Amino acid sequence: MTDHHKTNIMTLTRYVLEQQRTHPDATGDLTIAINSVQVGCKFVESCVRKARLINLVGLAGNTNVQGEDQKKLDVLSNEMFVNALMASGKFSFMVSEEVDEIVAVPEELRGKYCITFDPLDGSSNIDAGVNVGTIFGIWKLPSGPSATVDEILVPGSEIVAGGYCMYGSSCNLVLTFGNNCVEGFTLDPALGEFILTHPNIRIPSRGKIYSVNEGNSTYWDDATKAYFDSLKFPSPESGKKPYSARYIGSMVADVHRTLLYGGIFAYPSDRKSRSGKLRILYESFPMAFITEQAGGKATTGVQRVLDLVPKHIHDRCPIFLGGTDDIADVEAAFANNTNWLNETQK
């Protein structure tokens, strides 16, 4: 007789369908929406894996709304996601890092959700073979298909689903619908399916790793400097050991490691970028939502990230995310030191 545990495979599609059955009032719209996301992720994964072979590395000759040079794969990934999401018929609006304005879906294909996404986070690293990824968040529009664009600029706490897909030595998709449950799936190339491999991810309350671009440390405010100095040079009486530094430069990869091993990921504000660097709608909100559902916290230093209300679709914010004890130390550092956020730093 076959081993039941080896043949009873929990695929992403099966998982989402089982989640749907736990909600008697569910219409199946979110299930179809997630299916369109995973189609996009599979396509991008295939392109990333053979990017050098089919000449998808290098610049496309354009810049995006952030002023960043667009890679060929950036453009292709964005087009694939827009087409897959639009074809699902479950979204009315899309916000992409690669598009200046809101993408409005034709009336005949509109649905009750809005999706925000970064189709290829970390693409500047792709020529070096570093892990890259897709980040996405899904919101339910109060007015459904007749919604207006004003319904997009809402607090992150109203998000209904968030996730990311990391493309590297393996293709990992991490997803949450809330309810303090975060699940991790790995793409099986032979089956062409995402398989549940990391059930119920929980971030340790305290870790041993910090992840931040210390090349910007000369521009940090006193609170940020004080916090990271406390990790690198703990006082002898505290009995703590210094944290290890790990920084890949791809948010998906750095956050994925933080979720699994604990510690802190940060992209703080600094003298050059008082409002932070990471975009609220399609980077900070989804990652903060995932972190909180995994038992962690995400803060700007003085405010919960999911309580922010963006004024523009490409607004930015500073972010620290990690285990609850690590974030408590961040908040204490900002409460006790001058910083850019509360304008006490000169």
Side-chain angles (χ1 to χ4, degrees):
M1 182 176 290
T2 59
D3 187 335
H4 178 70
H5 294 291
K6 293 182 179 179
T7 56
N8 188 27
I9 299 172
M10 178 63 74
T11 66
L12 175 58
T13 302
R14 174 182 166 185
Y15 171 79
V16 175
L17 286 170
E18 290 192 0
Q19 291 296 304
Q20 179 185 322
R21 282 195 287 270
T22 64
H23 297 81
D25 57 340
T27 61
D29 285 357
L30 189 55
T31 299
I32 296 172
I34 293 296
N35 187 63
S36 67
V37 171
Q38 71 164 311
V39 169
C41 292
K42 290 175 184 177
F43 179 87
V44 174
E45 191 276 339
S46 175
C47 291
V48 168
R49 196 162 295 281
K50 56 190 179 185
R52 176 64 68 177
L53 298 174
I54 58 177
N55 197 31
L56 285 177
V57 296
L59 300 178
N62 302 312
T63 57
N64 63 18
V65 67
Q66 321 301 334
E68 301 162 339
D69 290 329
Q70 286 183 309
K71 302 281 186 174
K72 295 175 184 177
L73 204 49
D74 280 322
V75 176
L76 183 63
S77 301
N78 183 70
E79 291 177 356
M80 177 60 205
F81 270 100
V82 168
N83 288 329
L85 298 169
M86 192 175 294
S88 73
K90 303 305 174 188
F91 299 101
S92 285
F93 300 109
M94 296 178 245
V95 176
S96 169
E97 181 190 29
E98 304 301 330
V99 183
D100 295 6
E101 304 296 334
I102 295 169
V103 178
V105 176
E107 191 171 340
E108 66 274 13
L109 291 174
R110 296 182 69 172
K112 62 185 179 184
Y113 294 106
C114 166
I115 186 167
T116 63
F117 61 97
D118 183 346
L120 199 61
D121 174 70
S123 59
S124 61
N125 294 315
I126 197 153
D127 293 6
V130 174
N131 285 12
V132 293
T134 298
I135 309 171
F136 63 92
I138 298 176
W139 279 259
K140 187 174 181 179
L141 297 166
S143 303
S146 60
T148 63
V149 295
D150 296 335
E151 296 180 29
I152 296 174
L153 300 176
V154 296
S157 54
E158 295 188 20
I159 191 171
V160 297
Y164 62 82
C165 190
M166 183 176 69
Y167 315 112
S169 58
S170 60
C171 179
N172 302 98
L173 192 150
V174 173
L175 176 68
T176 180
F177 295 110
N179 300 315
N180 296 315
C181 184
V182 178
E183 309 282 16
F185 301 81
T186 302
L187 181 65
D188 183 336
L191 294 177
E193 292 283 355
F194 284 101
I195 309 299
L196 181 63
T197 52
H198 296 75
N200 195 26
I201 296 172
R202 308 306 295 170
I203 185 171
S205 60
R206 182 172 294 283
K208 302 176 181 178
I209 298 171
Y210 72 92
S211 182
V212 67
N213 182 359
E214 292 195 86
N216 292 327
S217 60
T218 188
Y219 306 112
W220 288 347
D221 56 27
D222 291 344
T224 304
K225 289 178 180 177
Y227 173 68
F228 285 107
D229 282 349
S230 74
L231 299 185
K232 293 184 288 185
F233 312 110
S235 60
E237 57 271 18
S238 71
K240 296 179 180 179
K241 295 182 179 180
Y243 276 38
S244 298
R246 299 285 186 273
Y247 185 68
I248 298 169
S250 171
M251 186 186 190
V252 168
D254 283 315
V255 171
H256 188 69
R257 184 196 55 249
T258 302
L259 280 177
L260 297 182
Y261 302 153
I264 193 91
F265 167 83
Y267 212 117
S269 59
D270 57 40
R271 187 180 298 116
K272 297 185 301 177
S273 307
R274 298 289 181 94
S275 298
K277 182 76 180 293
L278 298 181
R279 273 68 59 153
I280 296 176
L281 279 176
Y282 42 82
E283 290 176 324
S284 297
F285 275 173
M287 289 307 202
F289 183 53
I290 294 166
T291 301
E292 287 196 2
Q293 297 307 311
K297 295 180 71 176
T299 180
T300 64
V302 299
Q303 183 180 9
R304 179 184 178 225
V305 169
L306 292 180
D307 286 338
L308 296 173
V309 182
K311 296 179 180 178
H312 185 271
I313 60 172
H314 295 296
D315 275 358
R316 303 168 186 254
C317 76
I319 189 170
F320 296 81
L321 59 82
T324 52
D325 290 349
D326 284 310
I327 295 298
D329 291 345
V330 173
E331 293 170 336
F334 274 78
N336 297 323
N337 295 274
T338 58
N339 58 82
W340 305 123
L341 299 180
N342 62 15
E343 300 182 349
T344 55
Q345 181 91 17
K346 302 299 182 183

